[in-house]
């Protein structure tokens, strides 16, 4: 791939899924082929499991497991 080439399409071969990349409709930060992005989906699932919004500390703990420690 050439330097500076934009990636606009994702293909997952095992599942034969093809999708265009867009910004996540929830956070508008992450690019994703699926809505919502994986980060937002994790938060949504955890909030549904708890039956409430996450606290700042719970959110930080959840995202740290994927991204490493955020300060």
């Amino acid at each position: 791939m050439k330097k500076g080439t934009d990636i606009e399409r994702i293909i997952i071969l095992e599942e034969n899924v093809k999708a265009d990349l867009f910004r996540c409709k929830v956070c508008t930060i992450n690019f994703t082929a699926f809505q919502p992005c994986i980060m937002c989906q994790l938060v949504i699932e955890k909030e549904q499991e708890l039956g409430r919004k996450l606290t700042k500390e719970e959110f930080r703990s959840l995202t740290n497991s994927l991204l490493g420690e955020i300060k």
Side-chain angles (χ1 to χ4, degrees):
M1 184 177 351
K2 290 183 199 176
K3 186 176 180 179
T5 302
D6 292 336
I7 299 172
E8 296 175 359
R9 192 148 186 82
I10 186 170
I11 300 172
I12 302 171
L13 295 176
E14 291 100 22
E15 301 294 325
N16 198 25
V17 173
K18 299 173 187 170
D20 293 327
L21 292 176
F22 297 100
R23 284 196 185 269
C24 174
K25 292 178 183 174
V26 176
C27 68
T28 67
I29 297 169
N30 299 317
F31 284 91
T32 180
F34 304 102
Q35 294 293 335
C37 69
I38 192 166
M39 292 299 297
C40 292
Q41 185 61 40
L42 284 173
V43 171
I44 290 167
E45 288 175 9
K46 189 64 173 178
E47 288 176 344
Q48 287 175 346
E49 180 183 313
L50 296 172
R52 60 176 172 77
K53 291 281 188 183
L54 295 177
T55 65
K56 210 181 252 188
E57 288 302 316
E58 290 169 332
F59 180 81
R60 185 173 288 128
S61 175
L62 184 65
T63 56
N64 282 349
S65 63
L66 283 178
L67 303 174
E69 189 168 343
I70 299 173
K71 296 183 183 189

